[in-house]
Amino acid sequence: MFIDEVVLDILAGDGGNGCMAFRREKHIPMGGPFGGDGGRGSNVIFKVDEGINTLIDLRYQKQIKGKKGENGEGKAKHGKNAPDIIIRVPLGTIITDLESNLIIADLTKKDDEVIVAYGGRGGRGNIALATRSNPAPSYAENGEPGETRKVKIELKLLADVGLVGMPSVGKSTLISKISASKPKIAPYHFTTLHPNLGVVSVRKDKSFVVADLPGLIEGASLGEGLGDKFLKHIERTRVIAHIIDMSSFEGRDPYQDYITIRKELENFNKSLIEKPEIIIANKMDMPNSQENLKKFKEKIDAPVYPISAMNNEGISEVLNVLSDMLDKIAKKPLFEEEKFESHILYQFKKEQPFTITKEDDTWVIKGKEVERILRMTRFTTEEAANRFANKLRRMGIDDKLRELGAQDGDYVRILDFEFEYKL
């Protein structure tokens, strides 16, 4: 089964918790803190595997979750980092963050890989939290939560030439003659249900990749037939090869077929009709083909290459023309740099990193940094609670609550935790 698009929730692993411990040994007076740090959580990494050509392994997965790092232990033992989760995907896989709509990565090279979600760092043990003013802290940090993302994983095949045309014009027959690809061939429409790739060798040192796409019909760009699902696979190609049934065996006009296909390509993505193209007149062994070719050439101001894919006639000339065209066309990236997450320039703005609203009699505080601090705080000692309160105070939350009219004894909620506000 050919699957070329999935949506997943990605949850990187949480960091392991730091340890609170003290050194108590017979001959070491004033031993001090002795708790180790937690380990880092799993990163979730997507990596190219050339042996895969579909996303079927991800189809039934709703989420991918990393593992938590190991907790720190006493005697200054640090927890192990969790192993990274590696997801193998085909060449040509695009990963997009659905929240920002920016592209995380376009994996187009062998062994390309990208970290899609970063694991949380391990919480610090009380050794790491010791300071000059507090040399023996009685608290430790919980591990940092791992990064969470909702992403779209999309496959756009890597091919140099894309074969397009109406159903049953001979695209699959042609690719079976020029490559080792073995697509299903039968005398009915939409025999080809998914794109087929074939490597074509022209000379000893020259080859290129051809993609045979399922047949297009009028309205394909709007979802008719199989067009809207597979037209995206032609976006990476450098040359579009229009295969025309010049015999009019099914009663269609060859010229009208050509115009219809170009219109559907333009409706799907205007850049497609700007790509270099070649027109291949197939089924020239059939009656009426020569007469139809003559009429077709009168309406087209471009070279037309007659072939009979069934009889293997005229194919060599077409392959040489395609090879020469590809020599002159440089490979270009599919997306502009501005669409990539890594190229966004983040400007520092003086914005408040939290929001405070009132729901019934409770003040509700929201914000990524506030929630992160809460999750990493272990409220097991009064000292840990005071440290948390001081952090909120330094962020300006106390001042903002006072400004909004909070009174002594009011309830404040962050996530599922409620606290009593003290002036």
Side-chain angles (χ1 to χ4, degrees), residues 41 170 189 227 262 286 301 402:
H189 288 186
R262 278 186 59 84
M286 300 283 286
D301 186 22
R402 196 176 298 111

Side-chain angles (χ1 to χ4, degrees), residues 330-388:
K331 292 184 178 180
K332 296 180 180 178
L334 184 59
F335 302 102
E336 297 175 358
E337 287 190 354
E338 291 76 14
K339 294 187 178 181
F340 282 86
E341 186 177 86
S342 57
H343 290 269
I344 298 297
L345 177 63
Y346 291 97
Q347 296 180 345
F348 290 100
K349 297 180 180 178
K350 207 168 184 180
E351 293 180 351
Q352 202 157 266
F354 58 85
T355 60
I356 300 177
T357 56
K358 194 168 187 181
E359 296 180 6
D360 298 327
D361 295 328
T362 304
W363 298 96
V364 180
I365 303 174
K366 293 181 180 179
K368 285 186 178 180
E369 182 61 18
V370 177
E371 292 166 7
R372 187 186 72 86
I373 292 171
L374 175 69
R375 288 192 177 106
M376 293 184 71
T377 300
R378 197 181 314 161
F379 295 96
T380 53
T381 65
E382 186 177 348
E383 193 175 0
N386 290 337
R387 182 171 180 259
F388 173 74

Side-chain angles (χ1 to χ4, degrees), residues 164-203:
V164 298
M166 289 285 188
S168 301
V169 296
K171 300 184 299 298
S172 296
T173 302
L174 178 58
I175 199 172
S176 71
K177 296 288 185 179
I178 63 179
S179 73
S181 179
K182 301 297 179 187
K184 183 179 179 181
I185 300 171
Y188 53 81
H189 288 186
F190 301 117
T191 307
T192 303
L193 297 176
H194 59 80
N196 295 298
L197 289 180
V199 179
V200 180
S201 296
V202 184
R203 304 179 189 94

Side-chain angles (χ1 to χ4, degrees), residues 57-69:
D57 291 341
L58 301 177
R59 183 184 184 189
Y60 299 108
Q61 294 193 46
K62 292 183 178 179
Q63 67 173 219
I64 294 172
K65 189 172 183 179
K67 296 180 179 179
K68 182 180 177 180

Side-chain angles (χ1 to χ4, degrees), residues 36-88:
D37 300 343
R40 176 184 56 79
S42 299
N43 295 324
V44 178
I45 300 173
F46 280 68
K47 184 174 183 177
V48 165
D49 185 334
E50 291 184 292
I52 299 174
N53 55 20
T54 175
L55 300 173
I56 191 169
D57 291 341
L58 301 177
R59 183 184 184 189
Y60 299 108
Q61 294 193 46
K62 292 183 178 179
Q63 67 173 219
I64 294 172
K65 189 172 183 179
K67 296 180 179 179
K68 182 180 177 180
E70 286 190 5
N71 295 334
E73 296 180 8
K75 297 186 179 179
K77 292 181 180 179
H78 290 205
K80 285 184 181 178
N81 294 336
D84 292 335
I85 305 297
I86 298 178
I87 308 300
R88 301 192 178 275

Side-chain angles (χ1 to χ4, degrees), residues 4-119:
D4 58 6
E5 187 174 317
V6 294
V7 174
L8 294 172
D9 289 314
I10 308 293
L11 293 78
D14 296 342
N17 298 333
C19 175
M20 185 189 74
F22 293 93
R23 190 169 190 176
R24 295 183 178 89
E25 296 176 56
K26 187 174 182 181
H27 302 293
I28 302 178
M30 307 291 289
F34 212 27
D37 300 343
R40 176 184 56 79
S42 299
N43 295 324
V44 178
I45 300 173
F46 280 68
K47 184 174 183 177
V48 165
D49 185 334
E50 291 184 292
I52 299 174
N53 55 20
T54 175
L55 300 173
I56 191 169
D57 291 341
L58 301 177
R59 183 184 184 189
Y60 299 108
Q61 294 193 46
K62 292 183 178 179
Q63 67 173 219
I64 294 172
K65 189 172 183 179
K67 296 180 179 179
K68 182 180 177 180
E70 286 190 5
N71 295 334
E73 296 180 8
K75 297 186 179 179
K77 292 181 180 179
H78 290 205
K80 285 184 181 178
N81 294 336
D84 292 335
I85 305 297
I86 298 178
I87 308 300
R88 301 192 178 275
V89 292
L91 270 170
T93 298
I94 302 161
I95 306 165
T96 305
D97 185 298
L98 289 179
E99 184 178 346
S100 65
N101 221 24
L102 293 171
I103 297 167
I104 300 169
D106 186 6
L107 306 176
T108 59
K109 297 176 185 175
K110 179 183 176 182
D111 295 328
D112 266 0
E113 65 178 43
V114 63
I115 299 176
V116 173
Y118 285 85

Side-chain angles (χ1 to χ4, degrees), residues 253-303:
D253 175 43
Y255 176 74
Q256 192 56 48
D257 279 3
Y258 173 69
I259 295 301
T260 298
I261 296 300
R262 278 186 59 84
K263 182 180 178 182
E264 294 306 321
L265 295 178
E266 182 179 17
N267 288 343
F268 183 78
N269 186 338
K270 288 186 178 180
S271 68
L272 292 181
I273 61 166
E274 297 171 2
K275 288 180 179 287
E277 66 176 25
I278 181 174
I279 303 172
I280 301 172
N282 191 24
K283 303 189 181 181
M284 292 305 298
D285 55 310
M286 300 283 286
N288 302 322
S289 292
Q290 293 293 343
E291 184 181 344
N292 288 338
L293 178 60
K294 184 178 178 181
K295 294 177 181 177
F296 186 85
K297 285 183 174 180
E298 291 173 357
K299 300 175 182 178
I300 296 291
D301 186 22

Side-chain angles (χ1 to χ4, degrees), residues 211-257:
D212 160 34
L213 299 184
L216 304 177
I217 60 175
E218 188 171 2
S221 58
L222 301 175
E224 297 292 332
L226 301 174
D228 68 322
K229 188 174 182 182
F230 296 117
L231 272 169
K232 63 185 174 185
H233 293 293
I234 206 172
E235 291 181 304
R236 291 194 194 273
T237 59
R238 290 187 282 161
V239 175
I240 294 177
H242 292 266
I243 313 298
I244 310 293
D245 177 2
M246 204 53 66
S247 70
S248 297
F249 178 75
E250 298 190 359
R252 298 192 310 265
D253 175 43
Y255 176 74
Q256 192 56 48
D257 279 3

